[in-house]
Each structure stands twice: as structure tokens, then as C-alpha cells.
Amino acid sequence: MTANTLKRQPLYAQVKQLLMQRMSGGEWQAHDALPSEWELADELGASQGTIRKALSELVDAGLLYRQQGRGTYAAPVPGDWGEASLLTPGLFFERPDELVREFLGMSRLNASEDIAEALQLRRLAPLLRIRQLWRWHGAPVALDDALLPAETFDGMDARWLRNSAGVYATLQQRFGVRVRVMCEQFRAEMLPREEAGLLGVTGMVADVPALCLLRLSADMDGRPLEWRQRYCLTHQLAYTVKHG
Amino acid sequence: MTANTLKRQPLYAQVKQLLMQRMSGGEWQAHDALPSEWELADELGASQGTIRKALSELVDAGLLYRQQGRGTYAAPVPGDWGEASLLTPGLFFERPDELVREFLGMSRLNASEDIAEALQLRRLAPLLRIRQLWRWHGAPVALDDALLPAETFDGMDARWLRNSAGVYATLQQRFGVRVRVMCEQFRAEMLPREEAGLLGVTGMVADVPALCLLRLSADMDGRPLEWRQRYCLTHQLAYTVKHG
DNA sequence: AAGTGGTCTAGACCACCGG
DNA sequence: CGGTGGTCTAGACCACTTA
């Protein structure tokens, strides 16, 4: 392989980088087959083992999946809900039920100091706020606010969001940006009034504890893209994370 | 390498398995150096590349760490707190402060149906309950109950727990068992009275929401070992998880 | 300088999948 | 059957640490 990128990067890392760029450019959609290891090796002038190492790391990163005897394929865009599933508390081996997403609306606001810092924006930078409701067997269980830098996603159209599979799918389709969840925070809070209303928590029993989730997402190069805040009702359900 | 274990396992997986067994047996303590790749290759009759693949997977699993030019070392036992750190809500890049663990006591009880199933025990199987308090800058922030199958850990001594670095460290030192966190659940709950007392939540303001964490841990072969329940106060702190 | 892990190559064989 | 990914080998060179 010709030494085209930064010299101090190992070859397999350069291959990985190149493939990620091509994937971002939309060369392969979800479930499209990539060239075989040998074709890539010829094309890029590297050995098959080097190509394999790059592909393996992309599989680990969740960007590709492989099937013995068939080929290597582009993985679908991750959903807005994230890796964790909703399960009945205490049952770790339950099969997760499907969550249904409902787009509530898009609005504009200015970044607070915390959020501006996390997203590496100037103070009061304009943001898009995308609000979604999650239902489980019809009942609302979570409320999402996704905050995106407005300048990066200038031209975002609410209709795109209403008719797509979620924020991440829209960013991928309309802006060619692949999102990666960087870190998440959990804490317990009393459900604020506005969110309680949207989640259908009625009556004077306003003393409902909610699981509050914060998420920071970035593109494949690590540039922050999204600050997400979620209120989850966990009376009957719990957020379940499986480890390596 | 002689075909001694199950035939359908690839060689590198057998090497991995063997090294895990030796590690469990206490052959290498934390930060002890393992033999070099070439020494292992000679000893086990595999090639250096195969040994490397096994070692790499053990590094990914957190059992080993490697330093270029120096060697391969046994990783220290993970702490009881887990992977997630406590940070100020909304600040993802903060440096996590140290948590101080305090052993409160050990008692016995019988497994509920849920717990018996998760730990693959019969109903009402005897359990050890190990209670620990976590402090952050002196103030209590979390309360842990670790539930272990009493028969597996027959002879467990409370003094071991009081003077060790935690439950996992004790299991490793006294029983040669390496613990691996399988999955965790989060939900929001109002803090029950007993836990509120132990966490120093005083007065009539009993309406404190708490982050409730459930954890299922296992040994390296996947056999369930521990059910842990934790109540976290998250008024000023949040549970932060970083992703791959 | 010697020893270690990290990268890279070339070639081989196997297991699996599809037509 | 051919093509694919999965495993394994042997050998080479580099980068880093230690002495």
C-alpha cells in the first residue's frame, strides 16, 4: 500500500480508516457486501492478513458483520434507543420486547454552558432539539430529547424525522454521518411536570421517580454530535446492559 | 499442540482456556509477568501467531495487559464498584474521584425465586449476603448487597471481607475464583427506609429517588456467582459508562 | 545488545455457503 | 464446485524497554 496517510499509522489502521471513510460516503448501505479479503488486499496493496485485521476491528466496532462462507457486510445503523434493552427488573434472560418510537417534534434552542462544552461549541450556540416518545405495549415508557448542533445539520427537516427509523438513521441517510455512542450517564430524579404530562403520568401522584439518562454521541472521528437526555419510567421495567 | 481438549475448538481458544485455568489456579498474581510469546509457543507447541491471538483476546477480556518491549502481565482483579464511574451529572470528561468502600456485615438468607433462577440454584437455596457502603468524600453515596451461593463459598469469613479490597478480591484470593460482570440493570426507585437509614438520609424528607442497580456476575466459565443489588444516591452524582 | 511485543507477509488448509 | 471467511504456520522486520 502506498504511504498516503500519516506515516506513523500502522497499515491495518490506515485500511480501517479508509474503509470507514468509504462507508461514511455511502459506498455501502446496510447489509451490502464488501469486497472479499483478497480483493481488498489486491486493491489496496496489502496482504490478506492485514486486511483481515482491519476488518476484524471494524466488526468489533459494530460497523461490519461477517458470515463464514458468505462474505463481509455493512452493519445496519444502530437504533436511537441504544445498546441497552428494557427488561422486567430481576429477569436477566428475558427476551426484550420491541419499543415503538414516536416523533413528537423539532424545535430550536441555545446551548447551555454544560452542553456547549460537551459538544465543543461556543456558548449559546444554536441547537436542534428533537423530541421522541417511546412506547412499550402501547404505554409510554420513555421521553427523549436529542440536541444537535444546528449549524452542522442545517436544513434538517422534521418530515425526514417523522418518516424515518430515528435520529441516527436520518443523520446517516441525509447527512452521511455515522453516529457512535461515546458515553452514557444514569441517575434517579423525580419526574418533572412537563415530562410527566408527556409520559401520561396523571393525577396528583406526581411523586414518580424516573431514570434519567444522558448520552454523548460522536461521529466516527470522535467529533461530538449529539447530547441526548432521556427520562425513563422504570416502575415495571429496567434498563439492561450486557457486558463483553 | 497436542489435541487434549475438545476437538472442535480452535487452537487459540484452547490456549486461551488453558491460560485462564492457570490464572485461576493462582499461577500468576496481579502484575506478574507471563512467559513471552515465544516461550509459550515452545511450551504449548503452537506458533507465535496463535499464542498472540489467544493473548490478545485475554487482553480484550481484561485478564491481561501488555507493554511493548516489556512483557505480558496478569491484570489486577476488578473492583467491586464495577466499570462505571461516578461523575457530576452532565460532565462527561471529569476525572472520577475515588470511592471508599466500607464493609458493613455478612449474613445468611434464602434465595427468592428470581434470584435462585438467575444464580441457577434451587429455590430457597442458602445465600450469603455481604453488605457494603460506598463513600465519596466521606459522605455515603451507595449501598451494596452482594448475594453469593453459600454452598459454593462455604467457610467464607467476615474478617476476610473486612480486611480485603472487596468481595471480588476475596473470592480471588480465598477461593481462586475470578469474577466477570455479565449484565447490569438500572432503574429508579424511591429509597426504602432501611437503606435510607444506612445511607444517612435523615429527617422526614423520605422522598428521595435512588438509582437501583442489579448486577449478575459469573466465573470465567459463565457459571453465575453473584447477584448484586445497589442503591445509589444521585442527587449530586451520576453513574457514567464509557463505550468501546 | 538482547529481549519483548507490534506489524506485515506469503502460503497453506479447513469449514461453510451458494449455485 | 468455487468463493468466502476462519485458523495456523514460519519467518521477517520494526519499536520499545531494560540493562
Side-chain angles (χ1 to χ4, degrees):
Chain A
M1 176 181 224
T2 60
N4 39 8
T5 54
L6 284 76
K7 197 51 185 172
R8 288 270 70 86
Q9 282 278 84
L11 188 46
Y12 75 88
Q14 297 177 39
V15 172
K16 195 175 145 188
Q17 197 72 23
L18 180 67
L19 290 174
M20 287 200 315
Q21 284 170 14
R22 285 215 226 164
M23 240 176 302
S24 287
E27 183 160 344
W28 301 292
Q29 298 303 312
H31 307 294
D32 282 356
L34 269 66
S36 75
E37 294 180 346
W38 285 105
E39 286 171 334
L40 285 171
D42 282 355
E43 179 184 337
L44 303 180
S47 78
Q48 176 261 357
T50 300
I51 300 294
R52 168 173 288 265
K53 173 144 187 171
L55 292 176
S56 295
E57 294 211 348
L58 291 173
V59 169
D60 290 342
L63 293 180
L64 300 177
Y65 64 96
R66 320 190 76 181
Q67 289 179 20
Q68 176 164 163
R70 283 177 39 89
T72 303
Y73 303 88
V77 177
D80 277 34
W81 179 259
E83 313 270 329
S85 53
L86 271 194
L87 294 183
T88 310
L91 296 182
F92 284 105
F93 306 115
E94 201 180 1
R95 190 193 182 74
D97 272 291
E98 274 308 307
L99 287 165
V100 176
R101 199 185 47 86
E102 183 179 325
F103 172 69
L104 294 184
M106 184 173 80
S107 59
R108 285 169 172 275
L109 50 80
N110 295 306
S112 71
E113 201 161 339
D114 277 2
I115 296 180
E117 187 185 347
L119 291 176
Q120 297 178 18
L121 299 171
R122 64 185 182 283
R123 208 173 303 186
L124 298 179
L127 298 176
L128 298 177
R129 187 186 72 167
I130 297 165
R131 181 160 270 190
Q132 303 180 108
L133 183 71
W134 296 91
R135 293 179 182 273
W136 182 80
H137 291 319
V141 290
L143 183 71
D144 256 29
D145 277 335
L147 301 180
L148 310 173
E151 294 174 357
T152 308
F153 299 108
D154 193 39
M156 174 72 83
D157 190 321
R159 285 167 298 183
W160 296 345
L161 292 161
R162 194 180 304 280
N163 300 318
S164 79
V167 174
Y168 298 161
T170 304
L171 297 186
Q172 163 84 12
Q173 284 172 24
R174 306 286 178 170
F175 297 90
V177 170
R178 177 101 190 191
V179 177
R180 181 180 157 77
V181 174
M182 301 300 286
C183 45
E184 292 183 318
Q185 281 189 359
F186 302 89
R187 63 181 198 276
E189 261 188 33
M190 300 314 286
L191 194 60
R193 187 157 317 155
E194 183 186 358
E195 281 76 8
L198 287 164
L199 283 166
V201 178
T202 59
M204 300 308 292
V205 195
D207 294 6
V208 178
L211 181 67
C212 186
L213 173 140
L214 290 183
R215 178 190 295 168
L216 187 64
S217 307
D219 64 15
M220 296 313 296
D221 298 326
R223 280 185 294 266
L225 277 188
E226 179 208 42
W227 169 290
R228 188 176 290 231
Q229 193 154 1
R230 176 179 296 169
Y231 285 97
C232 301
L233 298 179
T234 57
H235 291 107
Q236 300 163 2
L237 296 170
Y239 226 88
T240 299
V241 180
K242 294 215 191 304
H243 293 84
Chain B
M1 178 184 224
T2 58
N4 39 7
T5 55
L6 283 74
K7 196 57 184 170
R8 289 269 69 84
Q9 281 278 82
L11 188 47
Y12 74 88
Q14 296 178 38
V15 171
K16 197 175 143 188
Q17 197 71 23
L18 180 67
L19 291 174
M20 287 201 315
Q21 284 171 13
R22 284 216 226 164
M23 238 176 305
S24 287
E27 183 160 345
W28 302 291
Q29 297 304 312
H31 306 294
D32 282 356
L34 268 66
S36 74
E37 294 181 347
W38 284 107
E39 285 172 333
L40 285 171
D42 283 353
E43 179 184 338
L44 304 180
S47 78
Q48 176 261 356
T50 299
I51 300 295
R52 168 174 288 268
K53 174 145 188 171
L55 292 175
S56 295
E57 295 211 348
L58 291 172
V59 168
D60 290 343
L63 293 180
L64 300 176
Y65 64 96
R66 320 189 76 181
Q67 289 181 21
Q68 176 165 160
R70 283 177 42 88
T72 303
Y73 303 89
V77 176
D80 276 34
W81 180 259
E83 313 269 329
S85 52
L86 272 193
L87 295 182
T88 310
L91 296 181
F92 284 106
F93 305 116
E94 200 181 1
R95 190 197 182 73
D97 271 291
E98 273 310 307
L99 287 166
V100 175
R101 198 185 50 84
E102 183 179 324
F103 172 69
L104 293 185
M106 182 173 82
S107 58
R108 284 168 173 275
L109 52 80
N110 295 307
S112 71
E113 201 161 338
D114 278 3
I115 296 179
E117 187 187 346
L119 291 176
Q120 296 177 18
L121 300 171
R122 63 184 183 283
R123 208 173 303 184
L124 298 179
L127 298 176
L128 298 176
R129 186 186 73 169
I130 298 164
R131 180 159 269 188
Q132 304 181 114
L133 183 71
W134 296 93
R135 293 178 182 274
W136 181 79
H137 292 320
V141 290
L143 184 71
D144 256 28
D145 277 334
L147 301 181
L148 309 174
E151 293 173 359
T152 309
F153 300 108
D154 192 42
M156 174 74 84
D157 191 322
R159 285 167 299 185
W160 296 346
L161 293 160
R162 194 180 304 279
N163 300 319
S164 80
V167 174
Y168 297 162
T170 302
L171 296 188
Q172 163 84 14
Q173 285 172 23
R174 306 286 179 170
F175 297 89
V177 170
R178 178 102 190 191
V179 177
R180 177 180 161 77
V181 174
M182 302 300 286
C183 47
E184 293 183 317
Q185 281 190 356
F186 302 89
R187 62 182 198 275
E189 260 187 34
M190 300 312 287
L191 193 60
R193 186 158 317 155
E194 184 186 356
E195 281 76 6
L198 287 164
L199 283 166
V201 178
T202 60
M204 300 308 293
V205 195
D207 294 7
V208 178
L211 180 67
C212 186
L213 174 140
L214 290 183
R215 177 190 296 166
L216 186 65
S217 307
D219 65 15
M220 298 313 294
D221 298 326
R223 280 185 293 266
L225 277 188
E226 178 210 42
W227 169 291
R228 188 176 289 232
Q229 192 155 359
R230 176 179 295 169
Y231 285 96
C232 302
L233 299 179
T234 57
H235 291 108
Q236 302 163 2
L237 297 169
Y239 226 88
T240 299
V241 178
K242 295 216 192 300
H243 292 83

